[in-house]
Amino acid sequence: MIAALCLIATAHAQTNMLWLNDSCNVRIASATLYSDLPLKDATEKVIEQEIAAWSVDFKVAKSPKGANFRIKLDKNANLGAEGYMLMPNDNRGYTIVAETPAGALYGTYAMLRNINTAASMDMNPQKPAFQVRILNHWDNPDGSVERGYAGRSIWFADGKINFRSDIETYARANASVGINGTVIDNVNADPKVLSSEMLKDIKTVADRLRPYNIKVYLAVNFSSPAALGGLKTSDPLDKDVIDWWQKKVDEIYALIPDFGGFLVKANSEGLPGPMDFGRTHADGANMLAKALKPHNGIVMWRAFVYNPQGGDRAKQAYYEFMPLDGKFDDNVIIQIKNGPVDFQPREPFSPLFGAMKNTQTMAELQITQEYLGYSDHLCYLGTMWKEFMDYPSFHNGKSVVETTLNQKLTAFSAVANTGTMKNWCGYVMAQSNWYAFGRLAWNPNLSARAIAKEWVMQTITKDEKAVNTICDIMMQSREAVTDYMTPLGLHHLMGWSDHWGPEPWTDIPGAREDWLPRYYHKADKIGLGFNRSSKNGGSNAVEQYQEPLRTMYDDPQLCPKELVLWFHHLPWDYYFNDGKTLWQSLNDHYNGGVEQVIKFQKTWQSLKGSVPESIFKEVESKLQVQLDEAQWWRDGCMLYFQTFSNMPLSFTPKYTLEQCKAKLRTKAYVDRQKD
Amino acid sequence: MIAALCLIATAHAQTNMLWLNDSCNVRIASATLYSDLPLKDATEKVIEQEIAAWSVDFKVAKSPKGANFRIKLDKNANLGAEGYMLMPNDNRGYTIVAETPAGALYGTYAMLRNINTAASMDMNPQKPAFQVRILNHWDNPDGSVERGYAGRSIWFADGKINFRSDIETYARANASVGINGTVIDNVNADPKVLSSEMLKDIKTVADRLRPYNIKVYLAVNFSSPAALGGLKTSDPLDKDVIDWWQKKVDEIYALIPDFGGFLVKANSEGLPGPMDFGRTHADGANMLAKALKPHNGIVMWRAFVYNPQGGDRAKQAYYEFMPLDGKFDDNVIIQIKNGPVDFQPREPFSPLFGAMKNTQTMAELQITQEYLGYSDHLCYLGTMWKEFMDYPSFHNGKSVVETTLNQKLTAFSAVANTGTMKNWCGYVMAQSNWYAFGRLAWNPNLSARAIAKEWVMQTITKDEKAVNTICDIMMQSREAVTDYMTPLGLHHLMGWSDHWGPEPWTDIPGAREDWLPRYYHKADKIGLGFNRSSKNGGSNAVEQYQEPLRTMYDDPQLCPKELVLWFHHLPWDYYFNDGKTLWQSLNDHYNGGVEQVIKFQKTWQSLKGSVPESIFKEVESKLQVQLDEAQWWRDGCMLYFQTFSNMPLSFTPKYTLEQCKAKLRTKAYVDRQKD
């Protein structure tokens, strides 16, 4: 028997409820819930509220008889701490089986998703792939958000916790896609987040998130003992330092018994770390891990490290961390960005994945579109993440994401895109990336398309044709952005002061060379691209990959064309097998990206009437901005490269190079952090 | 000092002289030749004629003094039997150094090319990469040409040698690009070519080709002893058979002392061979080789074998020949088609290259456009051949072409596209492929673009802008054809009776399955493509490749997209990393190929006035035919695939599926073999 609920179509109300129930357009006519959970359990309350919010008529029953919704706790169901199983029941409704309230909660959201997307019921046991499924907020105590394009921080304001935020909606959204952790402060961490005053307020946040099975974590500054505690050092082997951390950790757990742990950016981009005291990353991470261990807390230690003297930046994390393999405590996990440089539109996967055989590792993705058009460009990241996750690593024949799964501790993280703007992410389409991250953290085997479809059906429309049309746009959107920004393996061409527009020409006197675009594109009279091959003076970054990838990437004929300038410096008149020169290919990709945006615009117009008017207008207006900025990127990059190639463009630019530069200078960084 | 000749621009005369001198537009004002060669030497006469034909005023000098052209024989120049070296001389002209008349001849053509393409003089010693640089004519004694699209045979008419042909122009054309051998009859060989009457006439052909350093070879029917000699068997181990061949070979050499040898297609597509008698390819080839050996003749034995019961056709040559590695005599060379199936628009290289470590091998290319639009489509093959030749084989780290070079006997062959039509190849643009083959056989390191440029400057125009424009079209032409015929690794979709149009739907009752397109495309409700991977019941053809190619091809995510359907059966809604489904990619490639032809048409129009009017009109008219047939291919294939995918087209077809089928039936095969 399959659940057969009476559903009622309702008018769509565009609110700030993300993909949650009141932004969709069906309601359950009548819901009766019988639950094995204690009636006072906070999570039970959430479950009741969710089903009630979805129903025209809702009541809690005292016996299972006649209840079309049933929460069944079964300690022997082999579903683990967070798993669940959906089943049809005798009353034409759903029974949710779980071992824990958390499992029941995830089952409830799965059921609502199931109803809302008209999917057939999957009656297999469902367990999350990763234990820790976590957002990283780069929010600062002053209320600003680093790389935030959706207003101010939802966590902080004026040096304190921001209590005006709608934390419950945030928590519902996360729980609905399975996210169970949040780092509320920036990895460029302010020591003051560990102050006793702040911790007391953070306790309130943790209390509000707890019913949704979401743990709070903090990013901490490695110099906190000195900067906050007044010690004369923060050396991780110093006894006073060790004591300071232990006491601080104990203080936290006294307030927040289920506190998750620390996220640390150390010895990276000017941040302090153990190497300041002649110690290693392992010394630093393990010192913190030992303090957290008695409380079951963890340390997420970032591998995003590079220094100006270290040679090819793409190789440095591997060089710095590989010698430490096996030296980390078992509650430490190394957090590695998906690519070896920095969240670019397309990178090869970081070679650290799978390479550290005796160290726990986790991926760090970026939901916020730092290098992908901010909250102005439609860029669905499900495709990008799946490309990364499914890529064969050739470490034990596993995909990249699989290399992070067979561990005692497993985790999957992403930098959030939330802010105080009413729509949370600055753009309705940007919400899809938050949604997709959560779904993939729970189940990495879901397809990007299937996730897009779920999100569209819960957020925008259930009209089948419109759903498919919107999914088509989403699926091709990331490639379009890559094409007009950094095709063929180009990377890091963005502006210096913000990462919005093109600035391949930047020259900042005295600046770190590896922060300048020219370090990456290496345009010259001969050609373009970073020689990371083993030949002709290349940096030999290819050696960090397993065979057959090493040999493939090392040979421009075998290297995937979409990555070729990542690994090779090719002449402008280099011919690919399709008979096109590098120059022609650049023209075609840059202009093709622009053409694709124009196509998206046309396609979007066809949806008028099939999607809520407010969303129609929002996307229509954003696509116009995206088109202009796509043209700006295309023209800026191609006209600049032309100064080296001296070859003709095969499209008509909208801007001159001078206009592109002026646009960057005069198009002041609009403060998107305003509410 | 660099040669500085006085050159005179002349009017262009469009004749049947191919890329030879009188179709170009400069002349040497005054040429005086002093040569070390004996005045009566036949090759010396050719040299004189060539320089004279290029000059307004020409004379032979009795001393080097004042001669601006000098042929200098130097036995100690270390240039080998065919090499040469160009040098400027004191009289502002060229000195050609060689050890032999043949070397002097090649030096002369190189010099003329040098002058005619305004290239800077390369003063390095030049030697051919391959010893045997040979055309295979698929010409039948009745005067027909298998896969010929340029009229009737230049070699045969009505069962005899065709003495009306302009053999000298043919010989000049070949010698000018370095070709030094020709197999004048079809590999599907008629035993009668070995008749004494025919051999006497072939002697005349050989005599006429000899001054141009071109040897005659013959394709022979393995059953000749029985079919022609009247023996009761053609068993290669039978004493009478051995005697018969020995006598026949002796008879040939008595007439043609420099006869090159035999080309044999055996046990392939119904042709007889040693396996008919329970013998191996090695038994058959070595028997012939032993008869030829005393005369320095060679055997080119084709690896193009497959049988209906042998499993995946792409694997069979490898399976049949690998066990024989090391068993062939040293004057036997195995002739292998570039790809494992049959001269398709794009194939991976044949895995036999490099695999036979103890057997001499050579490549067989196809100049005639059997699967590439006949003589109607502009399709420059330099790019395709370079893709093949330069592809890393991973046998000792060598490129595919290099695997055929480090041998006692080296050779490079291609199926010719010549016929009795006035322009030789049925299309001026098709001449470029004959030219390119010769140039690559001499020097595989030349680029496709450089060769195209040479050819255009000698054949069409010297106007720099026009030269570049034509080269641009040529370089992208093969990818355009691949796109509208067989993109993404599709292959063998052509018509059954001729190979001109699309016929992926063919079903011929009782036909060999591996002659039907469906054997190759395997379209079904699920998807498209031939699973040659090691997984899911694939044919595991990938195992015949070396690492890293094996693993690369085996994984659809790493397999080059342009070959993916060669190695994988992918679902219609399979997503590539660019966010496009297989179906969308097919649409984009098929329609993109058509769009490219339209672009070629527009570009060609821009050349009006810059190229000879006759060529302008010929190409203009052919491009119109090509566009129509590109649309036919696109529509026929996509509408047929749509019957499986049930997905919408993203372009507007010109034809219905029924019209495509009718076009194939009613568009009678125009007899392109008429003169």
Side-chain angles (χ1 to χ4, degrees):
Chain A
M1 195 198 104
I2 292 298
L5 298 164
C6 178
L7 301 175
I8 298 171
T10 64
H12 188 286
Q14 167 67 356
T15 71
N16 57 348
M17 290 294 118
L18 298 153
W19 52 88
L20 299 167
N21 57 333
D22 71 346
S23 69
C24 83
N25 48 12
V26 292
R27 285 285 179 288
I28 301 155
S30 176
T32 306
L33 170 70
Y34 177 80
S35 173
D36 291 350
L37 287 172
L39 286 180
K40 287 180 184 166
D41 184 274
T43 299
E44 164 70 14
K45 287 285 167 235
V46 172
I47 292 171
E48 286 175 21
Q49 282 162 19
E50 288 297 343
I51 299 177
W54 259 72
S55 305
V56 176
D57 180 39
F58 174 79
K59 52 178 171 290
V60 176
K62 292 186 177 160
S63 90
K65 196 176 169 196
N68 54 354
F69 292 95
R70 173 86 204 271
I71 305 288
K72 192 170 166 182
L73 284 193
D74 179 354
K75 297 288 174 198
N76 301 314
N78 195 25
L79 290 163
E82 295 181 307
Y84 65 85
M85 190 162 60
L86 298 185
M87 295 192 304
N89 64 27
D90 294 343
N91 300 314
R92 302 171 61 100
Y94 286 76
T95 291
I96 298 160
V97 185
E99 289 186 33
T100 62
L105 182 71
Y106 291 133
T108 301
Y109 284 116
M111 173 188 77
L112 296 175
R113 178 167 62 240
N114 200 248
I115 295 169
N116 209 15
T117 60
S120 59
M121 193 190 295
D122 182 347
M123 290 182 278
N124 292 305
Q126 306 293 330
K127 296 180 194 178
F130 293 96
Q131 294 152 25
V132 178
R133 307 175 295 282
I134 190 166
L135 291 179
N136 292 185
H137 293 270
W138 287 356
D139 293 16
N140 300 311
D142 68 1
S144 64
V145 182
E146 186 170 334
R147 312 309 170 190
Y149 316 109
R152 304 285 292 177
S153 170
I154 58 171
W155 301 116
F156 300 100
D158 305 322
K160 296 183 174 174
I161 286 293
N162 174 5
F163 284 110
R164 292 171 304 167
S165 288
D166 179 7
I167 299 294
E168 278 68 28
T169 298
Y170 169 87
R172 290 174 64 203
N174 279 330
S176 75
V177 291
I179 293 170
N180 69 356
T182 183
V183 184
I184 65 170
D185 65 318
N186 192 354
V187 288
N188 292 319
D190 190 326
K192 81 166 71 138
V193 294
L194 289 178
S195 69
S196 299
E197 298 70 28
M198 189 74 90
L199 288 175
K200 275 177 207 140
D201 286 348
I202 293 172
K203 170 194 159 48
T204 310
V205 170
D207 290 344
R208 289 170 71 179
L209 293 175
R210 192 170 296 110
Y212 298 87
N213 196 46
I214 298 170
K215 286 184 182 174
V216 167
Y217 298 69
L218 289 174
V220 297
N221 187 302
F222 200 78
S223 282
S224 295
L228 182 69
L231 303 193
K232 60 179 187 298
T233 179
S234 294
D235 179 350
L237 301 194
D238 182 274
K239 193 183 168 301
D240 291 342
V241 170
I242 296 170
D243 282 351
W244 187 89
W245 279 110
Q246 187 61 66
K247 280 186 185 134
K248 186 51 74 179
V249 165
D250 293 343
E251 177 188 355
I252 294 172
Y253 277 94
L255 294 163
I256 309 168
D258 59 352
F259 179 73
F262 294 147
L263 170 64
V264 191
K265 175 177 180 178
N267 291 119
S268 167
E269 297 184 325
L271 271 283
M275 292 157 92
D276 300 341
F277 311 99
R279 315 302 179 188
T280 69
H281 288 291
D283 293 331
N286 293 344
M287 180 271 293
L288 294 175
K290 283 179 177 57
L292 289 158
K293 178 87 176 174
H295 306 284
N296 299 314
I298 66 169
V299 173
M300 296 172 286
W301 192 270
R302 291 175 98 227
F304 179 66
V305 295
Y306 59 103
N307 73 63
Q309 282 79 42
D312 180 2
R313 170 172 163 185
K315 296 175 70 178
Q316 293 190 40
Y318 187 97
Y319 273 153
E320 234 175 89
F321 277 85
M322 282 303 285
L324 302 174
D325 188 21
K327 301 202 169 142
F328 292 94
D329 284 5
D330 68 357
N331 59 332
V332 175
I333 188 163
I334 306 302
Q335 181 169 308
I336 309 165
K337 289 188 183 186
N338 58 288
V341 170
D342 193 8
F343 298 138
Q344 293 299 296
R346 175 170 273 125
E347 302 192 24
F349 70 88
S350 164
L352 267 178
F353 288 106
M356 289 201 286
K357 304 294 182 201
N358 302 300
T359 300
Q360 299 176 124
T361 59
M362 63 185 283
E364 177 181 356
L365 308 176
Q366 193 180 49
I367 301 171
T368 192
Q369 291 166 232
E370 176 177 359
Y371 301 104
L372 290 148
Y374 289 12
S375 54
D376 280 335
H377 295 208
L378 195 168
C379 184
Y380 173 57
L381 298 173
T383 46
M384 174 165 138
W385 295 335
K386 284 295 281 184
E387 176 179 330
F388 157 71
M389 294 163 75
D390 292 349
Y391 210 88
S393 74
F394 294 98
H395 287 287
N396 305 322
K398 289 176 182 163
S399 73
V400 169
V401 76
E402 283 165 351
T403 66
T404 67
L405 274 170
N406 188 23
Q407 303 170 168
K408 178 171 167 271
L409 172 63
T410 62
F412 199 64
S413 68
V415 182
N417 65 347
T418 55
T420 50
M421 279 186 176
K422 195 183 173 193
N423 67 2
W424 287 95
C425 303
Y427 187 2
V428 61
M429 299 306 293
Q431 297 172 2
S432 65
N433 294 323
W434 179 4
Y435 183 92
F437 165 71
R439 296 289 288 138
L440 289 171
W442 183 281
N443 182 1
N445 296 321
L446 291 173
S447 78
R449 175 86 186 199
I451 295 171
K453 189 176 170 187
E454 277 182 9
W455 176 79
V456 172
M457 288 186 75
Q458 293 172 90
T459 310
I460 302 183
T461 178
K462 288 186 170 52
D463 177 279
E464 193 183 334
K465 192 157 172 287
V467 169
N468 284 327
T469 301
I470 298 169
C471 287
D472 286 346
I473 292 176
M474 290 169 72
M475 288 299 289
Q476 296 187 33
S477 59
R478 176 265 189 144
E479 200 68 25
V481 177
T482 308
D483 277 343
Y484 62 67
M485 284 186 180
T486 52
L488 299 170
L490 288 170
H491 50 292
H492 209 295
L493 304 183
M494 69 287 170
W496 168 272
S497 53
D498 71 77
H499 297 163
W500 184 353
E503 206 177 10
W505 49 79
T506 325
D507 185 11
I508 311 263
R512 277 179 69 155
E513 194 62 23
D514 60 1
W515 284 359
L516 296 175
R518 68 182 180 207
Y519 175 89
Y520 300 94
H521 63 65
K522 301 209 187 293
D524 57 24
K525 290 287 168 203
I526 294 161
L528 186 67
F530 197 132
N531 181 3
R532 294 191 168 104
S533 80
S534 66
K535 304 185 185 81
N536 307 318
S539 80
N540 201 18
V542 297
E543 76 172 349
Q544 297 181 340
Y545 292 91
Q546 294 297 106
E547 292 292 3
L549 300 177
R550 186 184 303 165
T551 304
M552 242 178 80
Y553 292 153
D554 203 27
D555 183 330
Q557 203 162 0
L558 299 182
C559 184
K561 194 171 175 180
E562 68 265 26
L563 287 174
V564 75
L565 300 181
W566 184 282
F567 288 111
H568 298 277
H569 187 77
L570 298 181
W572 298 109
D573 62 353
Y574 177 87
Y575 277 99
F576 293 103
N577 284 340
D578 61 8
K580 282 187 194 171
T581 58
L582 170 60
W583 180 250
Q584 189 59 48
S585 300
L586 283 169
N587 271 269
D588 290 353
H589 279 274
Y590 269 107
N591 193 48
V594 170
E595 297 288 340
Q596 188 72 303
V597 177
I598 293 169
K599 212 171 129 196
F600 292 161
Q601 287 186 306
K602 283 186 188 151
T603 308
W604 189 258
Q605 287 303 319
S606 76
L607 294 173
K608 197 167 172 63
S610 312
V611 301
E613 185 67 8
S614 60
I615 291 181
F616 180 82
K617 289 205 158 140
E618 181 186 357
V619 177
E620 182 183 45
S621 143
K622 290 273 192 183
L623 281 173
Q624 197 51 41
V625 174
Q626 185 173 1
L627 175 60
D628 177 68
E629 295 185 0
Q631 290 164 322
W632 179 30
W633 268 94
R634 175 197 65 188
D635 299 347
C637 293
M638 288 301 292
L639 289 167
Y640 170 71
F641 293 147
Q642 193 181 36
T643 64
F644 297 94
S645 78
N646 287 313
M647 290 170 163
L649 298 181
S650 59
F651 58 88
T652 308
K654 177 178 173 184
Y655 296 107
T656 65
L657 187 52
E658 280 317 303
Q659 284 171 331
C660 289
K661 292 178 180 178
K663 195 171 164 73
L664 194 77
R665 285 193 301 269
T666 61
K667 181 165 181 168
Y669 174 64
V670 176
D671 187 358
R672 283 150 196 259
Q673 305 204 348
K674 281 196 183 135
D675 208 327
Chain B
M1 194 198 106
I2 292 300
L5 298 164
C6 177
L7 300 175
I8 299 171
T10 64
H12 187 286
Q14 166 68 357
T15 71
N16 57 348
M17 290 293 120
L18 297 153
W19 52 87
L20 299 166
N21 57 335
D22 70 347
S23 68
C24 85
N25 50 12
V26 293
R27 286 285 180 286
I28 301 156
S30 175
T32 307
L33 171 70
Y34 176 80
S35 173
D36 290 350
L37 286 172
L39 286 182
K40 286 180 185 168
D41 183 276
T43 299
E44 164 69 14
K45 286 287 166 230
V46 172
I47 291 170
E48 286 175 18
Q49 282 161 20
E50 288 298 345
I51 299 176
W54 260 71
S55 305
V56 177
D57 179 40
F58 174 78
K59 51 178 174 289
V60 176
K62 291 185 177 164
S63 91
K65 193 174 173 198
N68 52 356
F69 293 96
R70 173 86 204 272
I71 306 288
K72 191 169 167 183
L73 284 193
D74 179 353
K75 297 288 176 196
N76 300 317
N78 195 25
L79 291 163
E82 296 182 306
Y84 64 85
M85 192 162 59
L86 298 186
M87 295 192 304
N89 65 29
D90 294 344
N91 299 314
R92 301 171 61 101
Y94 286 78
T95 291
I96 299 160
V97 184
E99 288 188 32
T100 63
L105 181 70
Y106 292 132
T108 301
Y109 284 115
M111 171 189 78
L112 295 175
R113 179 169 60 239
N114 201 248
I115 294 169
N116 209 14
T117 59
S120 61
M121 194 191 295
D122 181 348
M123 288 182 277
N124 292 304
Q126 306 292 330
K127 296 180 193 180
F130 294 96
Q131 293 153 26
V132 178
R133 306 174 296 280
I134 190 168
L135 291 179
N136 292 186
H137 293 268
W138 287 357
D139 292 16
N140 301 311
D142 68 1
S144 64
V145 182
E146 186 171 334
R147 313 305 171 192
Y149 316 108
R152 305 284 293 175
S153 169
I154 60 171
W155 300 116
F156 301 100
D158 305 323
K160 296 182 174 173
I161 286 294
N162 174 5
F163 284 110
R164 291 171 304 167
S165 288
D166 180 8
I167 301 294
E168 279 69 26
T169 298
Y170 169 88
R172 289 174 63 204
N174 279 330
S176 75
V177 290
I179 293 169
N180 69 354
T182 182
V183 185
I184 65 170
D185 65 318
N186 192 352
V187 287
N188 292 319
D190 189 326
K192 84 165 68 138
V193 295
L194 290 177
S195 69
S196 299
E197 298 70 29
M198 189 72 91
L199 289 175
K200 275 176 208 143
D201 286 350
I202 293 172
K203 171 195 158 48
T204 309
V205 171
D207 289 344
R208 289 170 70 178
L209 293 175
R210 191 170 295 110
Y212 298 86
N213 195 45
I214 297 170
K215 285 182 184 177
V216 167
Y217 298 68
L218 290 174
V220 297
N221 187 302
F222 201 77
S223 280
S224 295
L228 182 70
L231 304 192
K232 59 180 185 298
T233 180
S234 293
D235 179 351
L237 300 195
D238 182 275
K239 192 183 169 302
D240 291 343
V241 170
I242 295 170
D243 282 353
W244 187 88
W245 279 110
Q246 187 61 65
K247 280 185 185 136
K248 184 53 73 180
V249 165
D250 292 344
E251 178 188 353
I252 295 170
Y253 278 93
L255 294 162
I256 309 166
D258 58 354
F259 178 74
F262 293 148
L263 170 63
V264 192
K265 175 179 181 178
N267 291 119
S268 167
E269 297 185 324
L271 270 282
M275 292 157 93
D276 301 341
F277 312 99
R279 313 302 180 190
T280 69
H281 287 292
D283 293 332
N286 292 343
M287 181 272 292
L288 294 175
K290 284 180 174 57
L292 289 158
K293 179 86 177 175
H295 306 284
N296 298 317
I298 67 168
V299 174
M300 295 173 285
W301 191 270
R302 289 175 102 228
F304 180 65
V305 295
Y306 60 102
N307 73 63
Q309 284 77 44
D312 179 3
R313 172 172 163 186
K315 295 175 70 178
Q316 294 190 39
Y318 187 97
Y319 273 151
E320 237 175 85
F321 276 84
M322 281 304 285
L324 301 173
D325 187 23
K327 301 201 168 144
F328 293 93
D329 284 5
D330 69 357
N331 58 332
V332 176
I333 188 162
I334 306 301
Q335 182 170 308
I336 309 166
K337 289 187 182 184
N338 57 290
V341 170
D342 193 9
F343 298 139
Q344 293 299 297
R346 174 171 273 125
E347 302 191 26
F349 70 89
S350 165
L352 267 177
F353 288 105
M356 290 202 286
K357 305 291 181 204
N358 302 299
T359 300
Q360 298 176 124
T361 59
M362 63 187 281
E364 179 182 354
L365 308 176
Q366 192 179 48
I367 301 170
T368 191
Q369 293 167 231
E370 177 178 358
Y371 302 103
L372 291 148
Y374 289 12
S375 55
D376 280 335
H377 295 208
L378 195 168
C379 185
Y380 173 57
L381 297 174
T383 47
M384 173 164 139
W385 296 335
K386 284 295 281 183
E387 176 179 330
F388 157 72
M389 294 162 77
D390 291 349
Y391 210 87
S393 74
F394 294 98
H395 286 286
N396 305 325
K398 288 177 181 161
S399 75
V400 169
V401 76
E402 282 165 351
T403 68
T404 68
L405 274 170
N406 188 23
Q407 303 169 168
K408 177 171 167 271
L409 173 61
T410 61
F412 199 64
S413 68
V415 182
N417 65 345
T418 55
T420 51
M421 281 185 175
K422 196 181 173 194
N423 68 0
W424 288 95
C425 304
Y427 188 0
V428 61
M429 298 308 293
Q431 297 171 4
S432 65
N433 293 323
W434 178 5
Y435 183 92
F437 165 72
R439 294 290 286 139
L440 288 172
W442 184 281
N443 182 1
N445 296 322
L446 291 174
S447 78
R449 175 84 187 203
I451 295 172
K453 188 176 173 188
E454 278 184 6
W455 176 80
V456 172
M457 288 187 75
Q458 293 173 90
T459 311
I460 301 183
T461 179
K462 287 185 173 51
D463 176 279
E464 193 183 336
K465 192 155 172 289
V467 168
N468 283 329
T469 302
I470 298 169
C471 287
D472 285 346
I473 293 176
M474 290 170 73
M475 288 300 288
Q476 296 188 33
S477 60
R478 176 267 189 142
E479 200 67 24
V481 177
T482 307
D483 275 344
Y484 62 67
M485 284 187 180
T486 53
L488 298 169
L490 287 170
H491 51 292
H492 210 294
L493 303 184
M494 69 287 171
W496 167 272
S497 53
D498 72 76
H499 297 164
W500 186 353
E503 204 177 10
W505 49 78
T506 326
D507 184 12
I508 311 264
R512 278 180 68 155
E513 194 61 23
D514 61 359
W515 284 0
L516 295 176
R518 66 181 179 206
Y519 174 89
Y520 300 94
H521 63 66
K522 300 209 189 292
D524 57 24
K525 290 288 166 201
I526 296 161
L528 185 68
F530 197 132
N531 181 1
R532 292 190 170 105
S533 80
S534 65
K535 304 185 185 80
N536 307 316
S539 79
N540 201 17
V542 296
E543 75 173 349
Q544 297 180 341
Y545 292 90
Q546 294 297 105
E547 292 292 4
L549 300 177
R550 185 184 302 165
T551 303
M552 241 179 82
Y553 291 153
D554 203 28
D555 183 332
Q557 202 162 0
L558 298 182
C559 184
K561 192 169 177 182
E562 68 265 25
L563 286 175
V564 75
L565 299 180
W566 184 281
F567 288 110
H568 298 278
H569 187 77
L570 297 182
W572 297 110
D573 61 355
Y574 176 88
Y575 277 98
F576 293 103
N577 285 340
D578 60 9
K580 283 187 191 171
T581 58
L582 170 59
W583 179 251
Q584 189 58 48
S585 300
L586 283 168
N587 270 270
D588 290 354
H589 278 275
Y590 269 107
N591 193 50
V594 169
E595 297 289 340
Q596 188 71 302
V597 178
I598 293 169
K599 210 171 131 197
F600 292 160
Q601 286 186 307
K602 283 188 190 151
T603 308
W604 189 257
Q605 286 303 320
S606 76
L607 295 172
K608 196 166 172 64
S610 310
V611 301
E613 185 68 7
S614 60
I615 290 181
F616 179 82
K617 290 206 157 141
E618 182 187 356
V619 177
E620 181 182 47
S621 143
K622 289 272 192 185
L623 281 173
Q624 198 52 40
V625 174
Q626 184 172 0
L627 175 60
D628 177 69
E629 295 186 1
Q631 290 163 322
W632 178 32
W633 268 94
R634 175 195 65 186
D635 298 347
C637 294
M638 287 302 291
L639 290 167
Y640 170 71
F641 293 147
Q642 193 182 34
T643 65
F644 297 94
S645 79
N646 288 312
M647 290 169 162
L649 298 181
S650 58
F651 59 88
T652 307
K654 177 179 173 185
Y655 296 107
T656 65
L657 187 52
E658 281 317 303
Q659 284 171 332
C660 289
K661 292 179 180 178
K663 194 172 164 76
L664 194 78
R665 285 194 301 270
T666 60
K667 181 163 180 169
Y669 174 63
V670 177
D671 188 356
R672 282 150 197 261
Q673 306 206 345
K674 282 196 182 132
D675 207 329

